[in-house]
Amino acid sequence: MDQDINFDEIINKYRSDPFDYLDVVTPHTGLVKFKVSDGEKVDGPSGKWHHHPGTLLYMINREKNPKPIYSLTNGVVASLRRELEGEFVEAGEKLMTIQHPLKKREIIEGILQNVLYLFKAPEKAKYFFSLDIQARLEKQDDKAVFIKPGDEIITMSLMKRDTPIYYSGEEGIIHSVYFKPGESVKQGQPLIGVCAKEKLPLIQKIITHVKAEWS
Amino acid sequence: MDLTKKLSPDSIQQIIQQEEIPLRSKTFSLNTVTEIFRYGAIIGYTGEHHDQIGRGMDWARHLIDKAEETNLSFPSGTVILADQMVQSKGRFKRPWHAPRGGLWLTLVLANTLLPESQLLVPMAAGIACCETLRSTGIKAYLKWVNDVLVNGKKISGILTETYRSPRFKEEYILLGIGINVNNNVFPAELSSQATSMKSCLNRESSLPEVTARLLAKLRWNIGLLYHEEARHLEIHGGIGKNSETLTENMNQDKHLLLESYKSLSDIFDRRVLFGFNVQENPQFEAKVIGLDNSGGLILELEDTSRIVQHSGEIIYLD
């Protein structure tokens, strides 16, 4: 991480383009029928458990098995490939992009995820801290729990099988926790963000700066 | 096999020959039955019996570490039996009461299954326990994931943990299995929720016999996991895959272990309270609709939307 981080540059980058761009690609081959148009607003999943699907984006039909594909985030449809309407497409074909407007929290998180070491979920499962880490998190001050490679930090729970997860990555302080006990985490999503102790003030400076500058 | 004083080395094989093969042959060809038992044959092939240990899982880890220290790999299928365990604990720091009279068994399996099959190992152990109890005439039922209940009271519980050995980095699945056999006195906080074979049958049972029968059932059900993995890979190229076509959906090949689970469970259409740690933090009420291809619990919420859970616990509300 660069100690001489240029706050203005980061802020200006997000000011000029405060969006995330999510490409929507086909999960498998099939005939495509669009349900949205370019410029249309779409919603992501909702409900306490995210069990209500987002806006229906398109249907893909392979051998009489029509499958609805819903938006995974809110935003606006962009770059829709209307020429593929009714066409048979390959798996992995990009159909459109969802332009997702970023909130302040997402911007801070985006910056942090660039500067922290992210330890990611090995499988889609539920996770909880190991007893030792949990006790230290409860006992020690916020952002004071130090971990190093090889430490048993988290337990992965899947079908009532508990698997200890050992930390691999840069040693440092657990700065951010991205999971809640009892909620599923998808494979590859970050579980924790770790930074070297001496970099903590810098991280805090970034957060304060973005909070102050971003309206 | 050195299961020492109480469990005869031949007793598992005798049960397989005299009871299991005739029973399973009613549904499967003899070739298939033989193949499945061959897959499961490692279970109980080696083992040890203790008068008393602290915690079976910890002892299993100790044995694995000790074997590796001497450059040996640990034999998969090893069984550790104890007459009583004095430092046992369940998930989330819950107490695990393991006095004399009960069946306390730890099974060590080298993790050689594909991830899709590994998901079903805890269920396979639950089925084995439920089948063992039913073979004695007890009307036992499975509660997702693998608790076994009789008239709503728990008679058997299973703990599953993964252990990665420190030296060779081999991954093991440790199954801690408990069945209340002749122990029918429980701590006050458990007495209304627990039962035993002795209470159900009004007589004591032979522990070595119940143990041998459980190991025979484990050989079948763990063997079935390997058999189904090989069969699904050969025919479909994978296990529990989501189908892309209507034809595939209609002709979906059922996983035999899940079919067996469904036949032994009374969870379906029941209202439940769900939570990751449901005793301390219940999350929501729902109705159980079914199981998905990977053993996940399909739950219908109050607004009729459905979610699938692969981790958590349920408490029956009806």
Side-chain angles (χ1 to χ4, degrees):
Chain A
M1 184 172 60
D2 188 1
Q3 292 284 345
D4 304 317
I5 196 160
N6 188 332
F7 291 116
D8 289 337
E9 191 182 324
I10 291 172
I11 297 291
N12 285 337
K13 176 180 165 285
Y14 280 104
R15 274 204 192 288
S16 61
D17 187 22
F19 297 100
D20 196 7
Y21 297 89
L22 287 103
D23 289 340
V24 177
V25 298
T26 51
H28 56 72
T29 53
L31 282 169
V32 167
K33 198 167 171 58
F34 288 111
K35 297 293 177 183
V36 288
S37 312
D38 243 340
E40 193 173 322
K41 277 188 176 177
V42 293
D43 293 318
S46 58
K48 195 174 177 186
W49 315 105
H50 281 208
H51 53 283
H52 296 304
T55 306
L56 178 61
L57 298 177
Y58 68 96
M59 300 289 295
I60 185 162
N61 193 335
R62 191 187 142 185
E63 295 174 43
K64 297 178 186 171
N65 190 30
K67 189 182 284 181
I69 306 293
Y70 301 97
S71 181
L72 297 177
T73 187
N74 68 307
V76 173
V77 176
S79 313
L80 186 118
R81 296 180 65 192
R82 182 61 67 186
E83 74 276 14
L84 296 177
E85 173 73 21
E87 295 292 316
F88 187 86
V89 300
E90 295 295 328
E93 186 81 53
K94 182 181 156 188
L95 298 182
M96 67 188 87
T97 300
I98 306 296
Q99 189 185 32
H100 167 70
L102 293 166
K103 294 177 187 149
K104 188 195 281 189
R105 179 181 53 79
E106 290 172 308
I107 290 171
I108 291 172
E109 217 34 75
I111 296 170
L112 279 180
Q113 292 200 4
N114 277 320
V115 295
L116 295 173
Y117 175 79
L118 299 177
F119 185 67
K120 295 177 179 173
E123 283 182 48
K124 185 186 174 189
K126 292 181 181 177
Y127 293 84
F128 55 95
F129 280 114
S130 66
L131 295 178
D132 172 51
I133 297 288
Q134 185 62 46
R136 284 162 63 192
L137 283 168
E138 286 165 10
K139 194 175 167 187
Q140 292 176 263
D141 291 339
D142 193 24
K143 299 182 181 39
V145 175
F146 176 81
I147 55 171
K148 59 183 187 312
D151 285 354
E152 183 187 329
I153 53 164
I154 288 170
T155 301
M156 178 177 80
S157 178
L158 198 53
M159 296 297 283
K160 216 180 149 194
R161 174 159 73 104
D162 293 339
T163 303
I165 304 294
Y166 299 90
Y167 180 64
S168 58
E170 296 169 11
E171 64 176 34
I173 303 294
I174 297 177
H175 181 278
S176 301
V177 177
Y178 299 108
F179 69 95
K180 288 180 187 165
E183 287 184 12
S184 276
V185 182
K186 285 183 183 162
Q187 184 180 30
Q189 280 193 343
L191 292 169
I192 54 169
V194 176
C195 74
K197 196 169 185 177
E198 63 273 17
K199 287 175 183 168
L200 269 176
L202 182 70
I203 302 269
Q204 196 49 49
K205 211 168 156 186
I206 294 171
I207 296 169
T208 311
H209 212 87
V210 175
K211 276 184 177 169
E213 290 283 325
W214 199 264
S215 53
Chain B
M1 187 174 70
D2 177 27
L3 288 176
T4 66
K5 53 191 180 189
K6 293 181 180 173
L7 181 62
S8 143
D10 299 328
S11 52
I12 309 168
Q13 201 52 39
Q14 267 176 22
I15 288 174
I16 288 173
Q17 290 296 338
Q18 291 167 10
E19 299 177 21
E20 287 293 315
I21 290 177
L23 176 76
R24 308 296 182 182
S25 299
K26 289 178 187 167
T27 316
F28 302 99
S29 72
L30 187 58
N31 276 348
T32 304
V33 172
T34 310
E35 187 182 295
I36 291 171
F37 274 117
R38 203 179 296 133
Y39 276 122
I42 53 166
I43 289 159
Y45 190 75
T46 54
E48 50 185 55
H49 190 141
H50 299 261
D51 179 59
Q52 176 182 303
I53 52 174
R55 187 171 183 253
M57 299 296 211
D58 293 344
W59 186 252
R61 289 186 184 88
H62 164 74
L63 291 180
I64 292 166
D65 294 356
K66 212 170 81 176
E68 292 198 348
E69 277 166 20
T70 52
N71 280 331
L72 293 171
S73 61
F74 192 74
S76 184
T78 296
V79 165
I80 300 157
L81 291 165
D83 290 345
Q84 68 170 338
M85 295 195 295
V86 290
Q87 291 169 333
S88 46
K89 61 177 181 166
R91 300 180 81 217
F92 309 117
K93 301 186 210 170
R94 289 176 193 156
W96 178 298
H97 184 60
R100 289 184 191 280
L103 195 172
W104 317 118
L105 181 154
T106 308
L107 171 63
V108 183
L109 292 171
N111 194 357
T112 55
L113 288 160
L114 290 172
E116 295 87 342
S117 304
Q118 288 169 31
L119 275 179
L120 304 179
V121 170
M123 287 179 138
I127 294 169
C129 288
C130 194
E131 286 182 340
T132 300
L133 291 159
R134 286 206 179 185
S135 71
T136 68
I138 294 172
K139 287 194 188 320
Y141 290 93
L142 282 161
K143 186 183 83 162
W144 193 83
V145 174
N146 57 13
D147 283 341
V148 187
L149 307 185
V150 178
N151 293 325
K153 292 183 172 184
K154 191 163 166 175
I155 192 165
S156 166
I158 296 159
L159 201 60
T160 315
E161 295 178 0
T162 311
Y163 181 60
R164 193 177 55 167
S165 64
R167 187 167 180 198
F168 298 146
K169 309 294 179 200
E170 181 96 60
E171 192 171 280
Y172 294 92
I173 299 175
L174 311 181
L175 284 158
I177 298 174
I179 299 179
N180 296 323
V181 181
N182 298 322
N183 57 314
N184 62 350
V185 178
F186 304 101
E189 68 274 18
L190 297 177
S191 60
S192 62
Q193 306 158 33
T195 190
S196 68
M197 287 177 65
K198 187 177 176 183
S199 299
C200 295
L201 298 170
N202 289 317
R203 61 172 166 81
E204 294 215 334
S205 302
S206 155
L207 256 179
E209 201 180 305
V210 178
T211 307
R213 188 158 283 124
L214 173 65
L215 289 169
K217 303 283 187 195
L218 280 167
R219 282 188 183 180
W220 170 263
N221 286 289
I222 299 290
L224 193 55
L225 279 180
Y226 282 93
H227 172 268
E228 283 297 90
E229 180 170 291
R231 190 174 70 86
H232 280 249
L233 281 173
E234 192 179 327
I235 302 172
H236 310 290
I239 309 155
K241 291 177 77 179
N242 289 323
S243 302
E244 293 175 9
T245 71
L246 191 61
T247 318
E248 283 169 356
N249 276 337
M250 287 168 70
N251 298 318
Q252 204 162 51
D253 195 0
K254 309 272 192 229
H255 195 294
L256 295 175
L257 190 101
L258 287 175
E259 292 307 296
S260 173
Y261 186 96
K262 288 173 192 170
S263 72
L264 294 169
S265 181
D266 61 350
I267 53 173
F268 306 106
D269 290 324
R270 291 184 73 168
R271 286 209 64 75
V272 296
L273 190 60
F274 180 89
F276 180 55
N277 176 355
V278 76
Q279 290 180 13
E280 279 187 20
N281 185 23
Q283 289 175 291
F284 57 85
E285 288 184 21
K287 187 168 108 174
V288 178
I289 299 300
L291 294 177
D292 77 355
N293 292 344
S294 55
L297 192 66
I298 306 170
L299 296 165
E300 187 176 88
L301 304 178
E302 279 181 10
D303 61 2
T304 70
S305 56
R306 292 180 179 188
I307 53 173
V308 179
Q309 292 288 338
H310 284 94
S311 190
E313 305 170 318
I314 54 173
I315 290 175
Y316 292 133
L317 295 174
D318 56 19

